[in-house]
Amino acid sequence: MTSASSSAVLPAYRVHSSSVHGNGVFAERDIEPGERIIEYAGREISWDEAQRRAEVSGAPHNHTFFFSLANGNVVDGGDHGNEARFINHSCEPNCEAIEEEDGRIFIYALHAIKQDEELNYSYPLIYEGRHTPAIKKAFACRCGAPTCSGTMLAPKPRKRKPRAQPQLPVEPIPGAAAARHPEPVAAH
Ligand SMILES: [Zn+2]
């Protein structure tokens, strides 16, 4: 479906503090089912570069700004990213992230969203290291959904799905004093 009006309408979202965590992204107006809301912007970097950046930052929370792409690269929402990086996780999301054929990631409405509703999507984090109690605590989910799984960590995957999905590095996270969700680190 094409939408000639998509660039003409008001922005569908705004950022302000969330009761779930830190900043969140909220519907500025009613949003149609299937509407493309915002690009998950950021610089496309290699996985090696993503690992290097993670080590430099010294904290795991940055990693949730990383979205893996089908081509093996990563979009770093903390580098030339936009408001999309503030979208919180929910176990019952109203949005989803889809990687398009050109490798760009967009956030779409899964169903109709009312004005002022918080936007969220499910981003089970792939963490291939041991899911220790500290790791589980660091990535506990408090989305409040009746079906909340209590964690943002994906079960150990048997195979990768070819869809946009944030990843954590394979190394154990040092310290484990991490926030469960990215705090905004730098505007640009
Ligand atoms: Zn949850």
Side-chain angles (χ1 to χ4, degrees):
M1 240 192 320
T2 57
S3 175
S5 63
S6 60
S7 61
V9 296
L10 292 169
Y13 55 86
R14 68 178 186 279
V15 175
H16 68 78
S17 61
S18 165
S19 62
V20 174
H21 185 269
N23 282 314
V25 180
F26 295 79
E28 181 72 12
R29 55 168 171 79
D30 290 352
I31 295 173
E32 303 278 330
E35 189 174 335
R36 189 160 87 173
I37 298 168
I38 184 175
E39 179 172 5
Y40 190 93
R43 183 159 298 203
E44 182 175 339
I45 56 176
S46 69
W47 181 240
D48 285 346
E49 172 64 10
Q51 297 274 22
R52 193 194 65 78
R53 289 183 179 194
E55 284 166 20
V56 168
S57 77
H61 55 264
N62 257 3
H63 289 262
T64 47
F65 287 135
F66 293 162
F67 257 95
S68 62
L69 295 170
N71 66 6
N73 286 340
V74 170
V75 171
D76 182 0
D79 181 358
H80 291 77
N82 61 3
E83 295 90 339
R85 71 188 189 280
F86 299 126
I87 297 174
N88 279 310
H89 166 86
S90 173
C91 298
E92 285 187 26
N94 53 19
C95 295
E96 63 180 336
I98 295 178
E99 180 184 344
E100 314 225 316
E101 285 183 11
D102 61 0
R104 294 166 71 186
I105 298 167
F106 287 89
I107 308 298
Y108 285 84
L110 277 171
H111 51 71
I113 300 170
K114 290 288 183 197
Q115 186 178 6
D116 297 329
E117 216 179 295
E118 180 165 0
L119 307 182
N120 43 54
Y121 59 110
S122 177
Y123 46 79
L125 291 162
I126 296 170
Y127 181 69
E128 293 172 350
R130 281 186 60 216
H131 290 188
T132 63
I135 291 293
K136 288 177 180 173
K137 186 180 177 192
F139 294 97
C141 181
R142 297 180 197 87
C143 74
T147 58
C148 180
S149 68
T151 182
M152 294 169 61
L153 293 169
K156 292 292 190 69
R158 290 180 182 80
K159 60 180 179 182
R160 292 279 166 79
K161 291 179 182 175
R163 53 181 291 223
Q165 212 160 27
Q167 293 195 342
L168 292 169
V170 294
E171 295 86 25
I173 291 174
R180 70 168 189 89
H181 184 70
E183 293 287 353
V185 284
H188 287 100

